[in-house]
Amino acid sequence: MFAAITLAAWPGRADSVPQPAKSGLGGVEANDPEPVNIARGKSYTLDPAPNYSYCTDENDLTQLTDGEYSQGYFWVQKGTVGWLAIKKVAITIDLQQVEPIGGLSFNTAAGRAGVEWPAAVMIFTSEDGADFYYAGDLVEMCGRDGAPPAEGYAVHRYATNKLATKGRYIRLIFIIMGNYGPFCDEIEIYRGPDSLLAKPAAGMRAGDIKKFCFAKLIWRLMSRDAAMVREKAVRMGISPERQNAIEKKLARLEQSAGTADYDFITNAAHRAITPLDNIHAEILKVNARLLRESGFPPLFAWHNNRWDPLAAVETPIQPPAGPPHLLVEMMDNEYRAEVLNLMNTSDKPLTALLAIEKLPGGDNPGMIAVHQVEFVATQEGRMIADPLPPAKRTEKGWLIDLHPGMTRQVWLTFHPAGVKPGVYEGKIIVRPSENPLLVTRIYRWIRGLKSAQTLAVPLTLKIYPFRFPDRPRLSLGMWDYTDKPLYRPNFTEKNVKLAIADMREHFVDTPWAHRSSACWPEKDDFDAEGNLAKPLRTKGFDDWIGDWSGSRNYFIYLAVGTDFAGEPMGTPRFNKMVKSWAAAFAAHAKHMGVDPKQIGFILVDEPGKPEQYRINTIWAAQLKAAVPDFVLFTDASGWEKPNLELEKMLELHDIFCPHLPSYRGMDETKCKILRTTGGKQKTLWYYSAFGPARLFDPYYYHRLQAWHCWRNEAVGMGFWNYWNYYKEPEDTAWNELIPTNRKGMSFGVVYTTADSLVDGKHWEAVREGIEDYEYLAMLRDRIEELRSRGINTPEVEAAARLLKDAAGEVVPGLFEERLRDWSVDKDRSAADRCRVQILKALESIN
């Protein structure tokens, strides 16, 4: 998987698609008069130019105001206008004279194949094309009643008749969710009453629109927290007077946020984490005061499922009766995590000391890593609780920063090594760190503020009598390309080394490399007959396998085309050149201790067209003729409609790796290919490559992929990808708010700087999924072993029933795209329930 965008994401069908109404405004009053569209036939500009090939044509500069509405899937209709891998699009319509503006509508489609609805459609008006006024956000104006459906493909018309402004130029700024869109069909602007012409333009003067949109994005992030505080106040049932006071305070803060200068956030070194600034901190303090006045103690702990999404102001509605009781059940030598949520309801920041007692290894044992979860902003305009930076460790424990009114999640990673089986009753002690400043204690005494009390959180650790293997059997590759970090301006020698160590700890046993690491030859390296006449360039390969010594597989993306070192594909000389190089490369690999069976190639990435299949076939034939042990890996699309070229290609390949979110699972067609194509059983892998991956559910999208592998007998999997591929040097997952015209997206699972690397929850979910797969395999092996010895006790039969039903309990059906997003409610406890049942079953038949 080399390209970040998968052709498998293209729907390619236009039948049975709902269409929009051709007149009237969705989401407005039914008795409003029919609006007059003054944009019909008017010219407009597009910035940047449309770039989605399946709908881009020479008429893109007329189709949005021609009055024609498209039929079928928008992204394959030439009558629509669309973009790919663009986060912000500006459309400016020239009405040719100043007009009264009463409303506006925008027709679009989304809900399938990774196409998301816009996060915002910001409306600006201008009389001269230079001085613009902000008239509002069309998405917000539509509100709940005018919102698109929550699930499935739909054509939707965002519309409002509440603008009441004027202008000659109407500029729409689209803030894009996901990697595709917007896909626009028609924009209509509705004439308002002439009385608007005598009034000033409505709305705030925008000045620098780019800067204004950036500030609006920051405002939106803070406003979501403010809205949650308002909702919580209502759910708590506090008095109208207190609700009114909270509303006034939040309204003042939101107004300040809407006009603040956020230039400091654009600093490449800045981390866009909660609180974003002092205004955001004050919004959190309103939450702290609400909790404090509702009977919550100064410091309390609570618990949720570690994979559930978490908001900064999220807490229980009622004061907890006591601290939660944490239970961790696992094997020795594996990794498992649990969380503890802490809240400081005072009006001052607090540093808490977290200590762990009475577990194997003494106080604060080394087998537990403590992380302070951060809320980080995404370029799609959401804050997510994802990065897991290590908490600062002292002799007495770990220091945890607690901002007033912000839930601080503490992520505990358990990795016992050599710990005897048993049940260990420990405690997590959380107390305010000693403050040496007498003035602080006097201040609290004068104000009558209670000091945060010490919390004692029970922690039970149960180690079962099994050892997790050092190398689990499900292979993992993340298309990491640590051999030659192309187009990665913020990658350094130091963080690449950190990344390799980190990937090894997460069971990556199949590193990926570019073709330069396959000792790739040049034109002058061959003689006239096609024999390799010069020594191989081996340094890239040698360095790469040195970094990844001991790996199970070494996979390389060759990115082949219709020639090899200048020789056209398919000629006798081409055939000899490929064989000559392949044989020499295999010989060198053996010399370096790497069996050719460990070396795999992708020839053409995600082939989905007959010509791509044909290129794969011709290359594969020569490679297999030279070195039959080389492994050929394909992530081809088009399996649902096999054709002759595809079948020829598949005959020569060893590993089939479908894109799970697109193919969802194995049907009879794909199973038949695995059984019969080429006369031998093929090996199945899965991969996922949709984005923005950090907005996807780490449980459903990342952890459960391993369960789909088990259910379909796949032996390997991958994700695109380990890193975040950005195009600008200053871009980083720590701060996606930097307003660059980026064309990259956050597909990665880690947060990097030049000299640091921090894991995220999604990456931890991948590791736990691999461990879940191993649990299932261990149970299967034990059952088979006992049955081979004639042992078929009731306990063995119960374990067999559990094994048969387990995957269906955790992944009851095919992959469902509607469940992919983190924000969608779902049960995220099934995998843990099932793995604990497996532990108990293994113990019963041990």
Side-chain angles (χ1 to χ4, degrees):
M1 175 60 207
F2 192 80
I5 311 304
T6 69
L7 288 178
W10 173 50
R13 292 188 58 192
D15 52 320
S16 303
V17 178
Q19 300 301 322
K22 293 294 179 66
S23 61
L25 290 179
V28 298
E29 298 299 326
N31 58 358
D32 285 342
E34 186 73 15
V36 177
N37 177 19
I38 53 179
R40 179 87 177 257
K42 298 300 192 298
S43 63
Y44 54 84
T45 61
L46 304 172
D47 182 25
N51 65 345
Y52 192 72
S53 60
Y54 293 102
C55 63
T56 296
D57 62 8
E58 66 277 5
N59 298 318
D60 281 352
L61 287 178
T62 61
Q63 289 165 337
L64 296 185
T65 57
D66 62 3
E68 298 293 327
Y69 282 80
S70 295
Q71 304 291 316
Y73 280 111
F74 271 33
W75 33 91
V76 292
Q77 305 302 317
K78 290 299 185 182
T80 65
V81 181
W83 286 262
L84 168 66
I86 301 294
K87 306 312 296 181
K88 188 182 298 180
V89 170
I91 301 175
T92 306
I93 301 174
D94 182 359
L95 299 177
Q96 300 177 348
Q97 64 181 15
V98 176
E99 297 275 13
I101 310 299
L104 181 147
S105 74
F106 155 63
N107 200 50
T108 186
R112 182 178 170 180
V115 182
E116 306 283 349
W117 301 105
V121 181
M122 303 174 73
I123 306 168
F124 298 87
T125 66
S126 172
E127 296 187 30
D128 58 6
D131 197 21
F132 281 85
Y133 288 80
Y134 176 62
D137 177 358
L138 181 61
V139 174
E140 287 184 353
M141 290 176 174
C142 290
R144 183 175 301 174
D145 294 335
E151 298 178 7
Y153 177 86
V155 177
H156 182 71
R157 199 169 177 183
Y158 291 92
T160 181
N161 62 357
K162 308 297 183 184
L163 286 181
T165 186
K166 64 179 181 179
R168 171 178 172 175
Y169 300 92
I170 309 299
R171 178 168 295 171
L172 304 180
I173 304 290
F174 295 81
I175 308 299
I176 311 305
M177 294 286 288
N179 206 40
Y180 301 93
F183 290 99
C184 307
D185 181 19
E186 193 72 14
I187 296 173
E188 297 185 358
I189 300 171
Y190 306 113
R191 200 175 196 280
D194 288 338
S195 59
L196 293 173
L197 295 173
K199 299 178 181 180
M204 182 186 302
R205 186 172 181 271
D208 184 334
I209 289 186
K210 183 177 180 180
K211 194 172 181 179
F212 184 92
C213 291
F214 173 67
K216 194 69 176 174
L217 175 62
I218 305 298
W219 175 87
R220 183 188 297 270
L221 291 169
M222 298 183 190
S223 183
R224 286 199 176 102
D225 282 343
M228 287 191 67
V229 175
R230 290 187 181 96
E231 179 186 0
K232 187 189 298 186
V234 173
R235 292 173 61 198
M236 284 181 169
I238 66 174
S239 68
E241 293 78 15
R242 288 180 61 207
Q243 286 191 40
N244 185 53
I246 287 173
E247 172 56 38
K248 286 183 177 179
K249 177 67 173 178
L250 291 174
R252 287 195 299 270
L253 290 170
E254 287 183 287
Q255 183 176 12
S256 298
T259 57
D261 185 350
Y262 296 107
D263 282 349
F264 69 93
I265 290 180
T266 64
N267 185 326
H270 181 79
R271 296 191 177 189
I273 58 177
T274 300
L276 291 166
D277 68 350
N278 291 334
I279 298 173
H280 198 191
E282 289 299 317
I283 292 174
L284 299 177
K285 285 184 178 180
V286 175
N287 185 49
R289 181 176 179 180
L290 170 64
L291 295 168
R292 192 167 63 243
E293 293 179 353
S294 300
F296 285 79
L299 175 66
F300 67 90
W302 61 285
H303 181 261
N304 68 335
N305 187 296
R306 64 189 180 282
W307 305 118
D308 283 346
L310 183 68
V313 295
E314 185 176 343
T315 62
I317 296 301
Q318 301 296 330
H325 186 159
L326 305 185
L327 170 64
V328 179
E329 298 182 78
M330 62 190 302
M331 302 181 196
D332 189 49
N333 200 45
E334 70 168 314
Y335 296 85
R336 291 294 171 181
E338 187 51 283
V339 295
L340 178 67
N341 300 324
L342 302 174
M343 170 59 77
N344 167 22
T345 68
S346 76
D347 60 355
K348 293 292 181 182
L350 173 67
T351 298
L353 178 67
L354 185 148
I356 300 175
E357 300 177 350
K358 299 182 179 180
L359 290 183
D363 291 346
N364 307 316
M367 68 172 177
I368 302 176
V370 178
H371 308 266
Q372 175 176 289
V373 181
E374 299 288 358
F375 297 90
V376 66
T378 67
Q379 58 186 296
E380 293 79 20
R382 299 184 191 173
M383 301 293 294
I384 56 172
D386 185 46
L388 303 173
K392 183 178 180 180
R393 181 155 190 165
T394 70
E395 292 181 359
K396 297 181 179 181
W398 294 267
L399 298 180
I400 308 296
D401 296 326
L402 301 177
H403 297 284
M406 185 188 91
T407 284
R408 171 68 76 193
Q409 188 170 73
V410 179
W411 184 277
L412 307 167
T413 301
F414 294 78
H415 181 49
V419 176
K420 293 180 179 180
V423 178
Y424 302 92
E425 300 294 347
K427 286 185 179 180
I428 300 176
I429 306 298
V430 182
R431 60 172 65 87
S433 182
E434 295 179 3
N435 192 325
L437 296 179
L438 178 61
V439 66
T440 301
R441 297 197 294 272
I442 295 174
Y443 167 82
R444 298 190 65 84
W445 177 75
I446 293 174
R447 294 289 302 272
L449 298 175
K450 294 181 180 179
S451 297
Q453 301 298 311
T454 297
L455 299 176
V457 180
L459 168 61
T460 299
L461 174 64
K462 183 174 182 179
I463 304 293
Y464 284 77
F466 314 104
R467 186 182 186 277
F468 194 85
D470 294 328
R471 172 176 285 174
R473 67 197 77 191
L474 180 65
S475 287
L476 175 65
M478 296 294 291
W479 285 279
D480 53 282
Y481 297 114
T482 57
D483 62 323
K484 187 179 179 183
L486 298 175
Y487 51 87
R488 303 182 198 169
N490 57 347
F491 285 17
T492 66
E493 182 179 352
K494 184 167 184 178
N495 64 25
V496 167
K497 287 183 177 179
L498 292 172
I500 292 172
D502 180 58
M503 282 186 272
R504 286 181 180 275
E505 285 189 357
H506 287 76
F507 304 128
V508 171
D509 63 0
T510 305
W512 281 89
H514 303 96
R515 70 183 183 188
S516 58
S517 294
C519 308
W520 199 248
E522 297 180 0
K523 182 176 182 180
D524 294 339
D525 294 344
F526 297 94
D527 64 18
E529 287 74 32
N531 298 301
L532 187 65
K534 292 183 179 180
L536 291 174
R537 297 170 179 83
T538 62
K539 185 178 187 306
F541 177 76
D542 297 350
D543 289 346
W544 177 51
I545 65 167
D547 288 339
W548 285 96
S549 61
S551 293
R552 176 179 283 156
N553 307 302
Y554 297 91
F555 284 0
I556 302 172
Y557 173 46
L558 291 184
V560 301
T562 56
D563 72 277
F564 181 37
E567 181 67 23
M569 184 178 68
T571 67
R573 184 171 184 268
F574 168 89
N575 295 343
K576 183 173 284 189
M577 289 168 63
V578 173
K579 292 175 182 176
S580 180
W581 157 76
F585 178 42
H588 178 71
K590 284 184 178 180
H591 174 72
M592 297 298 295
V594 176
D595 192 313
K597 293 179 182 179
Q598 296 176 267
I599 297 176
F601 299 122
I602 283 184
L603 303 175
V604 176
D605 184 43
E606 296 183 328
K609 300 177 181 179
E611 176 59 18
Q612 293 173 317
Y613 301 149
R614 191 176 75 87
I615 293 171
N616 257 349
T617 300
I618 292 172
W619 276 85
Q622 303 309 314
L623 285 168
K624 282 294 190 181
V627 186
D629 285 343
F630 277 160
V631 176
L632 297 184
F633 178 110
T634 182
D635 51 1
S637 59
W639 287 33
E640 72 280 13
K641 295 179 180 179
N643 59 60
L644 184 59
E645 293 293 345
L646 173 61
E647 291 179 5
K648 288 180 180 179
M649 183 197 82
L650 295 179
E651 285 181 8
L652 294 167
H653 280 69
D654 305 288
I655 296 177
F656 295 169
C657 185
H659 184 247
L660 177 62
S662 297
Y663 288 100
R664 303 180 63 211
M666 297 299 290
D667 57 21
E668 181 56 30
T669 299
K670 291 191 282 295
C671 289
K672 183 179 179 181
I673 290 172
L674 289 176
R675 290 194 302 267
T676 64
T677 304
K680 67 175 183 178
Q681 180 76 21
K682 305 295 183 177
T683 299
L684 178 68
W685 283 44
Y686 276 132
Y687 81 104
S688 293
F690 278 160
R694 289 191 299 151
L695 296 187
F696 296 165
D697 190 334
Y699 174 80
Y700 190 82
Y701 185 81
H702 290 89
R703 182 175 176 181
L704 294 193
Q705 179 163 292
W707 288 81
H708 285 283
C709 287
W710 175 264
R711 188 170 188 176
N712 293 288
E713 300 182 0
V715 299
M717 71 175 190
F719 291 88
W720 179 266
N721 89 327
Y722 179 75
W723 307 91
N724 286 295
Y725 282 91
Y726 301 120
K727 300 300 184 183
E728 303 294 335
E730 64 270 27
D731 286 350
T732 168
W734 279 115
N735 187 2
E736 287 191 338
L737 299 181
I738 301 174
T740 60
N741 190 25
R742 65 171 56 84
K743 294 184 180 180
M745 178 175 283
S746 56
F747 289 89
V749 291
V750 292
Y751 296 77
T752 59
T753 67
D755 58 359
S756 71
L757 184 147
V758 168
D759 296 333
K761 291 183 182 181
H762 300 80
W763 189 216
E764 298 304 291
V766 173
R767 178 163 62 185
E768 291 206 16
I770 289 174
E771 292 177 327
D772 296 342
Y773 185 104
E774 192 67 21
Y775 271 49
L776 292 158
M778 291 173 70
L779 182 60
R780 178 196 60 198
D781 291 352
R782 182 60 175 159
I783 292 170
E784 291 178 354
E785 177 198 352
L786 292 173
R787 284 179 168 175
S788 70
R789 293 160 49 193
I791 301 173
N792 208 21
T793 64
E795 290 80 7
V796 173
E797 286 302 303
R801 288 193 298 272
L802 172 62
L803 181 66
K804 180 182 176 181
D805 298 337
E809 291 291 327
V810 177
V811 283
L814 301 177
F815 183 97
E816 295 188 59
E817 192 173 318
R818 68 181 183 86
L819 298 176
R820 177 195 65 189
D821 291 350
W822 208 350
S823 58
V824 176
D825 289 339
K826 59 183 78 73
D827 177 17
R828 299 178 177 89
S829 61
D832 278 323
R833 286 199 307 270
C834 188
R835 75 168 185 86
V836 171
Q837 289 174 349
I838 292 172
L839 282 171
K840 292 177 179 179
L842 282 169
E843 190 174 39
S844 72
I845 61 176
N846 189 23

